[in-house]
Amino acid sequence: MALRHAVLAALLEGELSGYQLTKSFDLGVANFWHAQPQQLYAELSRLEKDGLIAGRAVVQETRPTKRLFHVTDAGLAELEEFATASAKPSFIRDDLLVKVQAADRIDTEALITQLTERAAFARSKSDLFGKLLRSMRGERTEEEFLRHGHRVGPYLTCLRGLAFEQGNHDWCERTITVLRERRQTQARE
């Protein structure tokens, strides 16, 4: 997947400015595709040049003029083509996992600290995803929303983000417990 497809998918929510797009990425898209704000702005320019999105200027009285972007028919066709292509499996690339891999040969005190920090981050992200999901579905139950909600795609990707972060949290906590127990056993031997 290219950043262009993630941006096109994010713009399906409606017209967004570059700033709003970066916020949209932070809240929803970032759970499956990470991009820096400068990358997003550069991609908006490329997509507009390629005719996949169109922008319009909005004059504001007390602020600079902003540009709002929306997906064109060509952009929808690009997304359709992307959606029909086979999806490649994803791979984990995580420095923390490399450190855990080496846990038998290193002092694990710093590693436990990093795992604790990662667990807290995952818990915080899980809470954020939970709030976002509740906001999306409103007063409906999850099953009602999944059957009749307006835009189920963002909800489903948010569910995946929630499951990912909950899994991260649980793995970190389990790993911390294992490493602490091993340290105690080794200290007694």
Side-chain angles (χ1 to χ4, degrees), residues 13-58:
E13 293 296 314
E15 272 191 323
L16 296 175
S17 68
Y19 176 77
Q20 290 168 319
L21 178 66
T22 61
K23 292 300 170 199
S24 172
F25 257 70
D26 284 347
L27 288 176
V29 179
N31 77 74
F32 60 88
W33 193 268
H34 177 74
Q36 298 293 328
Q38 60 269 29
Q39 292 174 295
L40 294 173
Y41 283 103
E43 192 60 40
L44 284 171
S45 293
R46 282 190 289 276
L47 288 168
E48 188 173 29
K49 181 178 163 253
D50 293 345
L52 301 177
I53 64 171
R56 67 180 178 93
V58 176

mmCIF file of all heavy atoms in Angstrom, residues 13-58:
data_model
loop_
_atom_site.group_PDB
_atom_site.id
_atom_site.type_symbol
_atom_site.label_atom_id
_atom_site.label_comp_id
_atom_site.label_asym_id
_atom_site.label_seq_id
_atom_site.Cartn_x
_atom_site.Cartn_y
_atom_site.Cartn_z
ATOM 1 N N GLU A 13 -14.101 10.563 4.085
ATOM 2 C CA GLU A 13 -14.936 11.135 5.141
ATOM 3 C C GLU A 13 -15.583 12.440 4.679
ATOM 4 O O GLU A 13 -16.536 12.894 5.265
ATOM 5 C CB GLU A 13 -14.101 11.399 6.391
ATOM 6 C CG GLU A 13 -13.592 10.155 7.074
ATOM 7 C CD GLU A 13 -14.712 9.282 7.607
ATOM 8 O OE1 GLU A 13 -15.649 9.802 8.250
ATOM 9 O OE2 GLU A 13 -14.661 8.071 7.359
ATOM 10 N N GLY A 14 -15.029 13.061 3.661
ATOM 11 C CA GLY A 14 -15.538 14.337 3.158
ATOM 12 C C GLY A 14 -14.382 15.284 2.940
ATOM 13 O O GLY A 14 -13.214 14.917 3.047
ATOM 14 N N GLU A 15 -14.705 16.520 2.619
ATOM 15 C CA GLU A 15 -13.670 17.527 2.376
ATOM 16 C C GLU A 15 -12.870 17.775 3.644
ATOM 17 O O GLU A 15 -13.437 17.987 4.710
ATOM 18 C CB GLU A 15 -14.305 18.848 1.949
ATOM 19 C CG GLU A 15 -14.544 18.981 0.494
ATOM 20 C CD GLU A 15 -14.912 20.402 0.123
ATOM 21 O OE1 GLU A 15 -15.619 21.074 0.883
ATOM 22 O OE2 GLU A 15 -14.470 20.831 -0.949
ATOM 23 N N LEU A 16 -11.555 17.747 3.494
ATOM 24 C CA LEU A 16 -10.670 18.006 4.624
ATOM 25 C C LEU A 16 -9.548 18.938 4.195
ATOM 26 O O LEU A 16 -9.079 18.863 3.062
ATOM 27 C CB LEU A 16 -10.037 16.705 5.134
ATOM 28 C CG LEU A 16 -10.939 15.629 5.724
ATOM 29 C CD1 LEU A 16 -10.126 14.380 6.051
ATOM 30 C CD2 LEU A 16 -11.657 16.135 6.950
ATOM 31 N N SER A 17 -9.130 19.773 5.119
ATOM 32 C CA SER A 17 -7.931 20.570 4.901
ATOM 33 C C SER A 17 -6.730 19.689 5.227
ATOM 34 O O SER A 17 -6.881 18.593 5.793
ATOM 35 C CB SER A 17 -7.939 21.807 5.805
ATOM 36 O OG SER A 17 -7.802 21.422 7.167
ATOM 37 N N GLY A 18 -5.537 20.153 4.895
ATOM 38 C CA GLY A 18 -4.332 19.408 5.259
ATOM 39 C C GLY A 18 -4.242 19.214 6.761
ATOM 40 O O GLY A 18 -3.898 18.129 7.237
ATOM 41 N N TYR A 19 -4.571 20.254 7.514
ATOM 42 C CA TYR A 19 -4.544 20.166 8.978
ATOM 43 C C TYR A 19 -5.540 19.117 9.470
ATOM 44 O O TYR A 19 -5.217 18.289 10.327
ATOM 45 C CB TYR A 19 -4.856 21.536 9.590
ATOM 46 C CG TYR A 19 -4.946 21.517 11.087
ATOM 47 C CD1 TYR A 19 -3.794 21.478 11.873
ATOM 48 C CD2 TYR A 19 -6.181 21.518 11.727
ATOM 49 C CE1 TYR A 19 -3.878 21.451 13.258
ATOM 50 C CE2 TYR A 19 -6.270 21.493 13.098
ATOM 51 C CZ TYR A 19 -5.115 21.457 13.862
ATOM 52 O OH TYR A 19 -5.203 21.421 15.225
ATOM 53 N N GLN A 20 -6.758 19.152 8.940
ATOM 54 C CA GLN A 20 -7.771 18.176 9.351
ATOM 55 C C GLN A 20 -7.350 16.758 8.972
ATOM 56 O O GLN A 20 -7.614 15.812 9.714
ATOM 57 C CB GLN A 20 -9.118 18.513 8.707
ATOM 58 C CG GLN A 20 -9.747 19.770 9.257
ATOM 59 C CD GLN A 20 -10.917 20.238 8.401
ATOM 60 O OE1 GLN A 20 -10.857 20.201 7.170
ATOM 61 N NE2 GLN A 20 -11.991 20.666 9.068
ATOM 62 N N LEU A 21 -6.682 16.631 7.833
ATOM 63 C CA LEU A 21 -6.193 15.315 7.417
ATOM 64 C C LEU A 21 -5.172 14.789 8.419
ATOM 65 O O LEU A 21 -5.211 13.616 8.789
ATOM 66 C CB LEU A 21 -5.582 15.388 6.018
ATOM 67 C CG LEU A 21 -4.993 14.085 5.487
ATOM 68 C CD1 LEU A 21 -6.089 13.044 5.266
ATOM 69 C CD2 LEU A 21 -4.230 14.334 4.202
ATOM 70 N N THR A 22 -4.255 15.648 8.873
ATOM 71 C CA THR A 22 -3.260 15.190 9.851
ATOM 72 C C THR A 22 -3.946 14.759 11.137
ATOM 73 O O THR A 22 -3.541 13.780 11.760
ATOM 74 C CB THR A 22 -2.191 16.262 10.148
ATOM 75 O OG1 THR A 22 -2.788 17.418 10.702
ATOM 76 C CG2 THR A 22 -1.400 16.620 8.913
ATOM 77 N N LYS A 23 -4.988 15.458 11.549
ATOM 78 C CA LYS A 23 -5.734 15.069 12.756
ATOM 79 C C LYS A 23 -6.469 13.751 12.524
ATOM 80 O O LYS A 23 -6.525 12.893 13.404
ATOM 81 C CB LYS A 23 -6.726 16.163 13.176
ATOM 82 C CG LYS A 23 -6.045 17.413 13.667
ATOM 83 C CD LYS A 23 -5.182 17.108 14.855
ATOM 84 C CE LYS A 23 -4.305 18.255 15.227
ATOM 85 N NZ LYS A 23 -3.179 17.868 16.055
ATOM 86 N N SER A 24 -7.041 13.583 11.338
ATOM 87 C CA SER A 24 -7.724 12.334 10.997
ATOM 88 C C SER A 24 -6.756 11.166 11.047
ATOM 89 O O SER A 24 -7.078 10.093 11.549
ATOM 90 C CB SER A 24 -8.339 12.454 9.596
ATOM 91 O OG SER A 24 -8.853 11.229 9.160
ATOM 92 N N PHE A 25 -5.545 11.385 10.542
ATOM 93 C CA PHE A 25 -4.520 10.343 10.590
ATOM 94 C C PHE A 25 -4.185 10.019 12.039
ATOM 95 O O PHE A 25 -4.091 8.853 12.410
ATOM 96 C CB PHE A 25 -3.260 10.780 9.839
ATOM 97 C CG PHE A 25 -3.135 10.140 8.487
ATOM 98 C CD1 PHE A 25 -3.985 10.486 7.456
ATOM 99 C CD2 PHE A 25 -2.172 9.181 8.251
ATOM 100 C CE1 PHE A 25 -3.872 9.896 6.209
ATOM 101 C CE2 PHE A 25 -2.051 8.575 7.016
ATOM 102 C CZ PHE A 25 -2.902 8.937 5.990
ATOM 103 N N ASP A 26 -4.009 11.035 12.866
ATOM 104 C CA ASP A 26 -3.667 10.810 14.268
ATOM 105 C C ASP A 26 -4.715 9.975 14.979
ATOM 106 O O ASP A 26 -4.389 9.117 15.793
ATOM 107 C CB ASP A 26 -3.502 12.144 15.012
ATOM 108 C CG ASP A 26 -2.197 12.836 14.695
ATOM 109 O OD1 ASP A 26 -1.304 12.190 14.095
ATOM 110 O OD2 ASP A 26 -2.072 14.025 15.041
ATOM 111 N N LEU A 27 -5.988 10.216 14.696
ATOM 112 C CA LEU A 27 -7.059 9.547 15.426
ATOM 113 C C LEU A 27 -7.421 8.186 14.863
ATOM 114 O O LEU A 27 -7.734 7.281 15.615
ATOM 115 C CB LEU A 27 -8.316 10.423 15.456
ATOM 116 C CG LEU A 27 -8.237 11.642 16.342
ATOM 117 C CD1 LEU A 27 -9.506 12.471 16.214
ATOM 118 C CD2 LEU A 27 -8.008 11.246 17.786
ATOM 119 N N GLY A 28 -7.436 8.038 13.565
ATOM 120 C CA GLY A 28 -7.930 6.789 13.014
ATOM 121 C C GLY A 28 -6.954 6.051 12.131
ATOM 122 O O GLY A 28 -6.641 4.893 12.361
ATOM 123 N N VAL A 29 -6.470 6.708 11.124
ATOM 124 C CA VAL A 29 -5.640 6.045 10.124
ATOM 125 C C VAL A 29 -4.309 5.578 10.706
ATOM 126 O O VAL A 29 -3.761 4.563 10.299
ATOM 127 C CB VAL A 29 -5.423 6.976 8.900
ATOM 128 C CG1 VAL A 29 -4.558 6.324 7.852
ATOM 129 C CG2 VAL A 29 -6.766 7.379 8.303
ATOM 130 N N ALA A 30 -3.803 6.303 11.704
ATOM 131 C CA ALA A 30 -2.486 5.975 12.273
ATOM 132 C C ALA A 30 -2.446 4.577 12.884
ATOM 133 O O ALA A 30 -1.366 4.028 13.078
ATOM 134 C CB ALA A 30 -2.066 7.014 13.306
ATOM 135 N N ASN A 31 -3.597 3.990 13.170
ATOM 136 C CA ASN A 31 -3.547 2.634 13.721
ATOM 137 C C ASN A 31 -3.190 1.606 12.658
ATOM 138 O O ASN A 31 -2.882 0.473 12.987
ATOM 139 C CB ASN A 31 -4.831 2.288 14.485
ATOM 140 C CG ASN A 31 -6.005 1.941 13.603
ATOM 141 O OD1 ASN A 31 -6.048 0.861 13.021
ATOM 142 N ND2 ASN A 31 -6.964 2.828 13.490
ATOM 143 N N PHE A 32 -3.202 1.995 11.382
ATOM 144 C CA PHE A 32 -2.744 1.062 10.354
ATOM 145 C C PHE A 32 -1.788 1.682 9.347
ATOM 146 O O PHE A 32 -1.200 0.975 8.539
ATOM 147 C CB PHE A 32 -3.925 0.406 9.627
ATOM 148 C CG PHE A 32 -4.848 1.352 8.922
ATOM 149 C CD1 PHE A 32 -4.604 1.748 7.620
ATOM 150 C CD2 PHE A 32 -5.981 1.846 9.564
ATOM 151 C CE1 PHE A 32 -5.460 2.616 6.962
ATOM 152 C CE2 PHE A 32 -6.845 2.703 8.916
ATOM 153 C CZ PHE A 32 -6.581 3.101 7.617
ATOM 154 N N TRP A 33 -1.593 3.001 9.367
ATOM 155 C CA TRP A 33 -0.637 3.626 8.463
ATOM 156 C C TRP A 33 -0.117 4.898 9.097
ATOM 157 O O TRP A 33 -0.878 5.826 9.342
ATOM 158 C CB TRP A 33 -1.293 3.952 7.121
ATOM 159 C CG TRP A 33 -0.263 4.295 6.085
ATOM 160 C CD1 TRP A 33 0.205 5.527 5.787
ATOM 161 C CD2 TRP A 33 0.438 3.386 5.254
ATOM 162 N NE1 TRP A 33 1.160 5.456 4.816
ATOM 163 C CE2 TRP A 33 1.315 4.139 4.462
ATOM 164 C CE3 TRP A 33 0.412 2.005 5.099
ATOM 165 C CZ2 TRP A 33 2.157 3.554 3.525
ATOM 166 C CZ3 TRP A 33 1.246 1.445 4.169
ATOM 167 C CH2 TRP A 33 2.103 2.208 3.392
ATOM 168 N N HIS A 34 1.183 4.950 9.339
ATOM 169 C CA HIS A 34 1.782 6.112 9.980
ATOM 170 C C HIS A 34 2.400 7.033 8.935
ATOM 171 O O HIS A 34 3.038 6.573 7.997
ATOM 172 C CB HIS A 34 2.866 5.679 10.972
ATOM 173 C CG HIS A 34 3.566 6.826 11.604
ATOM 174 N ND1 HIS A 34 2.974 7.594 12.568
ATOM 175 C CD2 HIS A 34 4.781 7.356 11.377
ATOM 176 C CE1 HIS A 34 3.812 8.556 12.926
ATOM 177 N NE2 HIS A 34 4.911 8.436 12.222
ATOM 178 N N ALA A 35 2.195 8.335 9.119
ATOM 179 C CA ALA A 35 2.818 9.327 8.234
ATOM 180 C C ALA A 35 3.019 10.622 9.011
ATOM 181 O O ALA A 35 2.184 10.996 9.843
ATOM 182 C CB ALA A 35 1.944 9.587 7.017
ATOM 183 N N GLN A 36 4.118 11.271 8.736
ATOM 184 C CA GLN A 36 4.397 12.582 9.323
ATOM 185 C C GLN A 36 3.562 13.641 8.593
ATOM 186 O O GLN A 36 3.243 13.466 7.408
ATOM 187 C CB GLN A 36 5.886 12.919 9.177
ATOM 188 C CG GLN A 36 6.812 11.971 9.895
ATOM 189 C CD GLN A 36 6.648 12.064 11.403
ATOM 190 O OE1 GLN A 36 6.354 13.116 11.955
ATOM 191 N NE2 GLN A 36 6.823 10.947 12.076
ATOM 192 N N PRO A 37 3.217 14.747 9.278
ATOM 193 C CA PRO A 37 2.433 15.798 8.610
ATOM 194 C C PRO A 37 3.046 16.275 7.290
ATOM 195 O O PRO A 37 2.323 16.448 6.307
ATOM 196 C CB PRO A 37 2.393 16.924 9.650
ATOM 197 C CG PRO A 37 2.488 16.211 10.961
ATOM 198 C CD PRO A 37 3.414 15.052 10.702
ATOM 199 N N GLN A 38 4.362 16.452 7.245
ATOM 200 C CA GLN A 38 4.979 16.923 6.003
ATOM 201 C C GLN A 38 4.805 15.904 4.880
ATOM 202 O O GLN A 38 4.677 16.278 3.709
ATOM 203 C CB GLN A 38 6.457 17.316 6.205
ATOM 204 C CG GLN A 38 7.348 16.221 6.691
ATOM 205 C CD GLN A 38 7.465 16.133 8.206
ATOM 206 O OE1 GLN A 38 6.547 16.490 8.932
ATOM 207 N NE2 GLN A 38 8.591 15.640 8.694
ATOM 208 N N GLN A 39 4.778 14.613 5.211
ATOM 209 C CA GLN A 39 4.525 13.591 4.191
ATOM 210 C C GLN A 39 3.101 13.704 3.657
ATOM 211 O O GLN A 39 2.862 13.524 2.462
ATOM 212 C CB GLN A 39 4.729 12.188 4.769
ATOM 213 C CG GLN A 39 6.156 11.845 5.122
ATOM 214 C CD GLN A 39 6.229 10.501 5.829
ATOM 215 O OE1 GLN A 39 5.700 10.349 6.937
ATOM 216 N NE2 GLN A 39 6.878 9.543 5.197
ATOM 217 N N LEU A 40 2.162 13.994 4.560
ATOM 218 C CA LEU A 40 0.766 14.122 4.144
ATOM 219 C C LEU A 40 0.571 15.318 3.212
ATOM 220 O O LEU A 40 -0.114 15.213 2.187
ATOM 221 C CB LEU A 40 -0.146 14.242 5.368
ATOM 222 C CG LEU A 40 -0.203 13.004 6.255
ATOM 223 C CD1 LEU A 40 -0.982 13.284 7.525
ATOM 224 C CD2 LEU A 40 -0.809 11.837 5.493
ATOM 225 N N TYR A 41 1.171 16.450 3.563
ATOM 226 C CA TYR A 41 1.053 17.634 2.712
ATOM 227 C C TYR A 41 1.675 17.376 1.337
ATOM 228 O O TYR A 41 1.104 17.774 0.310
ATOM 229 C CB TYR A 41 1.685 18.854 3.387
ATOM 230 C CG TYR A 41 0.809 19.436 4.476
ATOM 231 C CD1 TYR A 41 1.092 19.205 5.816
ATOM 232 C CD2 TYR A 41 -0.316 20.203 4.161
ATOM 233 C CE1 TYR A 41 0.292 19.734 6.826
ATOM 234 C CE2 TYR A 41 -1.126 20.726 5.160
ATOM 235 C CZ TYR A 41 -0.816 20.497 6.486
ATOM 236 O OH TYR A 41 -1.621 21.011 7.465
ATOM 237 N N ALA A 42 2.819 16.729 1.307
ATOM 238 C CA ALA A 42 3.455 16.410 0.029
ATOM 239 C C ALA A 42 2.571 15.462 -0.787
ATOM 240 O O ALA A 42 2.442 15.609 -2.016
ATOM 241 C CB ALA A 42 4.840 15.804 0.259
ATOM 242 N N GLU A 43 1.964 14.502 -0.110
ATOM 243 C CA GLU A 43 1.095 13.550 -0.814
ATOM 244 C C GLU A 43 -0.153 14.241 -1.348
ATOM 245 O O GLU A 43 -0.619 13.923 -2.451
ATOM 246 C CB GLU A 43 0.720 12.381 0.089
ATOM 247 C CG GLU A 43 0.081 11.225 -0.639
ATOM 248 C CD GLU A 43 0.984 10.613 -1.710
ATOM 249 O OE1 GLU A 43 2.195 10.468 -1.494
ATOM 250 O OE2 GLU A 43 0.450 10.273 -2.796
ATOM 251 N N LEU A 44 -0.705 15.183 -0.598
ATOM 252 C CA LEU A 44 -1.853 15.943 -1.098
ATOM 253 C C LEU A 44 -1.497 16.650 -2.408
ATOM 254 O O LEU A 44 -2.287 16.631 -3.365
ATOM 255 C CB LEU A 44 -2.314 16.973 -0.063
ATOM 256 C CG LEU A 44 -3.109 16.443 1.126
ATOM 257 C CD1 LEU A 44 -3.311 17.545 2.167
ATOM 258 C CD2 LEU A 44 -4.444 15.859 0.685
ATOM 259 N N SER A 45 -0.320 17.236 -2.463
ATOM 260 C CA SER A 45 0.117 17.922 -3.691
ATOM 261 C C SER A 45 0.224 16.941 -4.856
ATOM 262 O O SER A 45 -0.225 17.228 -5.974
ATOM 263 C CB SER A 45 1.472 18.602 -3.475
ATOM 264 O OG SER A 45 1.342 19.649 -2.556
ATOM 265 N N ARG A 46 0.815 15.768 -4.601
ATOM 266 C CA ARG A 46 0.962 14.763 -5.668
ATOM 267 C C ARG A 46 -0.403 14.262 -6.141
ATOM 268 O O ARG A 46 -0.635 14.113 -7.339
ATOM 269 C CB ARG A 46 1.813 13.586 -5.179
ATOM 270 C CG ARG A 46 3.305 13.875 -5.176
ATOM 271 C CD ARG A 46 4.121 12.624 -4.917
ATOM 272 N NE ARG A 46 4.027 12.136 -3.550
ATOM 273 C CZ ARG A 46 4.769 12.578 -2.535
ATOM 274 N NH1 ARG A 46 5.665 13.518 -2.727
ATOM 275 N NH2 ARG A 46 4.613 12.077 -1.326
ATOM 276 N N LEU A 47 -1.283 13.993 -5.187
ATOM 277 C CA LEU A 47 -2.610 13.490 -5.548
ATOM 278 C C LEU A 47 -3.395 14.514 -6.360
ATOM 279 O O LEU A 47 -4.093 14.157 -7.316
ATOM 280 C CB LEU A 47 -3.392 13.105 -4.288
ATOM 281 C CG LEU A 47 -2.920 11.850 -3.566
ATOM 282 C CD1 LEU A 47 -3.563 11.745 -2.183
ATOM 283 C CD2 LEU A 47 -3.211 10.608 -4.391
ATOM 284 N N GLU A 48 -3.268 15.784 -5.977
ATOM 285 C CA GLU A 48 -3.969 16.826 -6.732
ATOM 286 C C GLU A 48 -3.374 16.942 -8.136
ATOM 287 O O GLU A 48 -4.106 17.048 -9.122
ATOM 288 C CB GLU A 48 -3.895 18.152 -5.990
ATOM 289 C CG GLU A 48 -4.768 19.225 -6.624
ATOM 290 C CD GLU A 48 -4.847 20.491 -5.808
ATOM 291 O OE1 GLU A 48 -3.882 20.821 -5.066
ATOM 292 O OE2 GLU A 48 -5.884 21.181 -5.920
ATOM 293 N N LYS A 49 -2.058 16.904 -8.234
ATOM 294 C CA LYS A 49 -1.371 16.975 -9.538
ATOM 295 C C LYS A 49 -1.798 15.805 -10.432
ATOM 296 O O LYS A 49 -1.986 15.958 -11.641
ATOM 297 C CB LYS A 49 0.143 16.952 -9.319
ATOM 298 C CG LYS A 49 0.958 17.040 -10.581
ATOM 299 C CD LYS A 49 2.449 17.053 -10.245
ATOM 300 C CE LYS A 49 3.271 16.734 -11.451
ATOM 301 N NZ LYS A 49 3.863 15.423 -11.432
ATOM 302 N N ASP A 50 -1.986 14.631 -9.814
ATOM 303 C CA ASP A 50 -2.387 13.439 -10.569
ATOM 304 C C ASP A 50 -3.894 13.386 -10.847
ATOM 305 O O ASP A 50 -4.368 12.440 -11.481
ATOM 306 C CB ASP A 50 -1.978 12.169 -9.812
ATOM 307 C CG ASP A 50 -0.464 11.989 -9.730
ATOM 308 O OD1 ASP A 50 0.261 12.670 -10.493
ATOM 309 O OD2 ASP A 50 -0.012 11.179 -8.891
ATOM 310 N N GLY A 51 -4.641 14.355 -10.341
ATOM 311 C CA GLY A 51 -6.082 14.409 -10.579
ATOM 312 C C GLY A 51 -6.900 13.454 -9.724
ATOM 313 O O GLY A 51 -8.077 13.225 -9.998
ATOM 314 N N LEU A 52 -6.288 12.892 -8.696
ATOM 315 C CA LEU A 52 -7.007 11.939 -7.837
ATOM 316 C C LEU A 52 -7.789 12.629 -6.728
ATOM 317 O O LEU A 52 -8.707 12.037 -6.145
ATOM 318 C CB LEU A 52 -6.028 10.921 -7.259
ATOM 319 C CG LEU A 52 -5.255 10.113 -8.314
ATOM 320 C CD1 LEU A 52 -4.263 9.174 -7.641
ATOM 321 C CD2 LEU A 52 -6.200 9.366 -9.231
ATOM 322 N N ILE A 53 -7.404 13.863 -6.424
ATOM 323 C CA ILE A 53 -8.168 14.703 -5.508
ATOM 324 C C ILE A 53 -8.262 16.088 -6.127
ATOM 325 O O ILE A 53 -7.490 16.435 -7.024
ATOM 326 C CB ILE A 53 -7.537 14.810 -4.083
ATOM 327 C CG1 ILE A 53 -6.168 15.491 -4.134
ATOM 328 C CG2 ILE A 53 -7.460 13.444 -3.423
ATOM 329 C CD1 ILE A 53 -5.600 15.813 -2.749
ATOM 330 N N ALA A 54 -9.222 16.857 -5.650
ATOM 331 C CA ALA A 54 -9.343 18.252 -6.079
ATOM 332 C C ALA A 54 -9.391 19.111 -4.824
ATOM 333 O O ALA A 54 -9.938 18.703 -3.801
ATOM 334 C CB ALA A 54 -10.613 18.451 -6.907
ATOM 335 N N GLY A 55 -8.782 20.283 -4.937
ATOM 336 C CA GLY A 55 -8.773 21.207 -3.814
ATOM 337 C C GLY A 55 -9.472 22.494 -4.185
ATOM 338 O O GLY A 55 -9.553 22.866 -5.354
ATOM 339 N N ARG A 56 -9.985 23.147 -3.161
ATOM 340 C CA ARG A 56 -10.586 24.458 -3.379
ATOM 341 C C ARG A 56 -10.169 25.359 -2.223
ATOM 342 O O ARG A 56 -9.993 24.908 -1.093
ATOM 343 C CB ARG A 56 -12.096 24.379 -3.497
ATOM 344 C CG ARG A 56 -12.817 23.975 -2.223
ATOM 345 C CD ARG A 56 -14.339 23.934 -2.440
ATOM 346 N NE ARG A 56 -14.993 23.498 -1.217
ATOM 347 C CZ ARG A 56 -15.454 24.331 -0.282
ATOM 348 N NH1 ARG A 56 -15.342 25.623 -0.419
ATOM 349 N NH2 ARG A 56 -16.037 23.851 0.814
ATOM 350 N N ALA A 57 -9.997 26.625 -2.549
ATOM 351 C CA ALA A 57 -9.576 27.603 -1.544
ATOM 352 C C ALA A 57 -10.796 28.109 -0.782
ATOM 353 O O ALA A 57 -11.853 28.345 -1.371
ATOM 354 C CB ALA A 57 -8.868 28.765 -2.212
ATOM 355 N N VAL A 58 -10.628 28.250 0.529
ATOM 356 C CA VAL A 58 -11.672 28.805 1.384
ATOM 357 C C VAL A 58 -11.071 30.012 2.085
ATOM 358 O O VAL A 58 -10.135 29.876 2.882
ATOM 359 C CB VAL A 58 -12.169 27.762 2.419
ATOM 360 C CG1 VAL A 58 -13.184 28.387 3.361
ATOM 361 C CG2 VAL A 58 -12.743 26.540 1.723
#
